[in-house]
Amino acid sequence: MTPVLPPAPADWLAPQPLAQARALPAHCYTDPQAGERDRVAVLARGWQLVARESELARPGDHALAEVAGVPLVLVRDREGVLRALHNVCRHRAGPLAACAGSGLERLSCRYHGWTYALDGRLLGAPGMARVPGFDPREIRLPQARLACWQGLVFACLDEAAPAFAEVVEGIEARLAGVSLAAMRPERRVVYRVDCDWKLYVDNYLEGYHVRCVHPGLSGLLDVQAYATTLSRWHSLQASPLDSADALYGSGEALYWFIFPNTMINLLPGRLQTNRVLPDGPGRCTVVFDYFYAPGQADPQRVAADLAFSDTVQAEDAAICAAVQRGMASGSWSPGRLNPAQEQGVWHFHELLRAAWRGAS
Ligand code: FES
Ligand SMILES: [Fe+2]
């Protein structure tokens, strides 16, 4: 017998009202070509978390990043200006900076030795002085846009993208005086997850699954008071939090998602940032950075936090991998979203649909 599938919207790119919204079609998560569409239409057009400001505090400090496949070197020059230069030589695309560090005075290509100033100007090109029509003054490394905010550094490849201040508008007011910049970095943990990057984000954006998937976490949050607030470019999930003093104590759990792939998770005295990066079809890498308020990073607390978070992450990774297999099975067509508990997912999908429409 042929299975009866629920109807999917005829035009999956069209905006959907929340009350009628369905999940995105499976092909958005499973089609190998969807990765290139996401890279061009979404990831290359949005602001992405790329570094901490404290790594780049002094002239010559530099760090590497990659945004939508474009390698960047973030570097502060002698005048104190921070830039995000494309880390690709203008001669024949050779590699420039190889690693993060300090004391950088210029960039040198490791292929044929062209050199660049820290503002991207070409300084030298060995053996090229007499080449007809070759003018080094016309050559410079392209730059991405940069924004420093709350001790975090964001970059964007697209000149037409909104100003960063617009993207994070409203978040500082909700921080109510908590300084993310004052939090000290403590640990980085990198996870590889067997699902499309958007599926990982979808899962993050709703508390609907917490009761089924996270028995430990659901005991700390107040599911009745769990609330999602939508803004233009970000969403916030907030819940009262009650945990042992040795873990987070009591207060509020605040989970911000900044489109397209940054998460800011704030618990009392502790910040965790997540970056969700595509890693080939049906796979993603998630970078977790842990920070603590001054005096809050005692080793036992950090260990308890890492162990608890690791359990939650393992639960999420397992369910996301299972959902990815469900998407790929051919059995499924998009089901209805829960308007009261999956509005963050809908909001993300609306932003994705708008980005994909813009590129089509
Ligand atoms: S590719 Fe950089 S000098 Fe040739
Ligand atoms: Fe989860």
Side-chain angles (χ1 to χ4, degrees):
M1 195 176 105
T2 311
V4 178
L5 299 175
D11 180 0
W12 61 276
L13 282 173
Q16 298 185 16
L18 173 59
Q20 305 298 327
R22 289 180 181 274
L24 288 173
H27 64 77
C28 296
Y29 302 89
T30 60
D31 182 346
Q33 293 181 349
E36 183 60 8
R37 181 176 60 213
D38 290 348
R39 189 181 74 79
V40 172
V42 180
L43 296 164
R45 296 192 174 179
W47 286 92
Q48 297 194 30
L49 177 59
V50 287
R52 299 188 313 273
E53 227 179 325
S54 59
E55 307 173 75
L56 300 160
R58 294 180 307 275
D61 285 354
H62 55 288
L64 303 185
E66 190 174 297
V67 171
V70 176
L72 299 175
V73 52
L74 313 168
V75 58
R76 194 175 293 281
D77 74 8
R78 202 175 295 170
E79 284 71 47
V81 178
L82 184 63
R83 293 185 179 83
L85 301 170
H86 288 215
N87 197 18
V88 181
C89 180
R90 296 301 100 187
H91 174 220
R92 280 176 46 219
L96 301 170
C99 58
S102 57
L104 193 68
E105 293 185 351
R106 64 184 64 82
L107 288 158
S108 298
C109 180
R110 286 175 282 136
Y111 201 178
H112 314 95
W114 287 22
T115 56
Y116 299 85
L118 298 187
D119 63 2
R121 279 178 299 119
L122 181 65
L123 293 176
M128 294 290 289
R130 300 215 176 108
V131 174
F134 178 80
D135 183 355
R137 292 169 302 183
E138 292 175 351
I139 296 173
R140 62 190 309 151
L141 298 171
Q143 289 183 41
R145 295 164 72 189
L146 263 190
C148 296
W149 175 79
Q150 291 280 336
L152 303 172
V153 182
F154 288 77
C156 177
L157 299 176
D158 185 5
E159 289 299 324
F164 181 75
E166 195 181 313
V167 172
V168 293
E169 191 174 356
I171 296 181
E172 275 180 359
R174 189 66 173 79
L175 287 174
V178 172
S179 168
L180 305 187
M183 301 273 189
R184 309 244 167 92
E186 180 68 25
R187 201 69 68 92
R188 169 168 291 180
V189 185
V190 178
Y191 296 97
R192 301 222 144 67
V193 186
D194 288 328
C195 72
D196 182 81
W197 72 277
K198 302 182 297 299
L199 200 156
Y200 187 91
V201 174
D202 288 350
N203 176 70
Y204 173 88
L205 284 170
E206 45 91 356
Y208 193 22
H209 73 272
V210 169
R211 194 175 50 84
C212 292
V213 174
H214 305 300
L217 179 62
S218 69
L220 309 189
L221 302 177
D222 181 345
V223 179
Q224 298 304 320
Y226 198 101
T228 301
T229 311
L230 306 179
S231 301
R232 175 72 182 90
W233 296 105
H234 60 84
S235 60
L236 168 65
Q237 297 169 82
S239 169
L241 172 81
D242 191 10
S243 71
D245 287 345
L247 193 54
Y248 310 116
S250 296
E252 204 174 19
L254 300 169
Y255 304 113
W256 274 281
F257 170 68
I258 303 173
F259 185 76
N261 65 342
T262 302
M263 296 148 180
I264 292 182
N265 306 317
L266 186 64
L267 302 180
R270 176 279 221 172
L271 164 70
Q272 182 201 68
T273 61
N274 309 148
R275 284 183 276 167
V276 188
L277 306 166
D279 189 13
R283 285 172 55 87
C284 63
T285 295
V286 192
V287 182
F288 281 52
D289 284 313
Y290 290 82
F291 306 71
Y292 295 88
Q296 299 271 321
D298 79 80
Q300 281 181 339
R301 185 190 179 195
V302 172
D305 184 9
L306 288 172
F308 185 78
S309 297
D310 199 55
T311 300
V312 173
Q313 172 64 8
E315 292 162 349
D316 279 325
I319 197 70
C320 286
V323 171
Q324 181 76 30
R325 290 193 293 275
M327 294 263 181
S329 69
S331 144
W332 179 80
S333 69
R336 287 287 293 274
L337 298 183
N338 178 336
Q341 294 186 65
E342 294 180 298
Q343 64 272 65
V345 179
W346 167 78
H347 174 259
F348 177 48
H349 291 183
E350 285 292 296
L351 290 170
L352 287 171
R353 283 188 282 261
W356 291 329
R357 285 194 301 274
S360 62

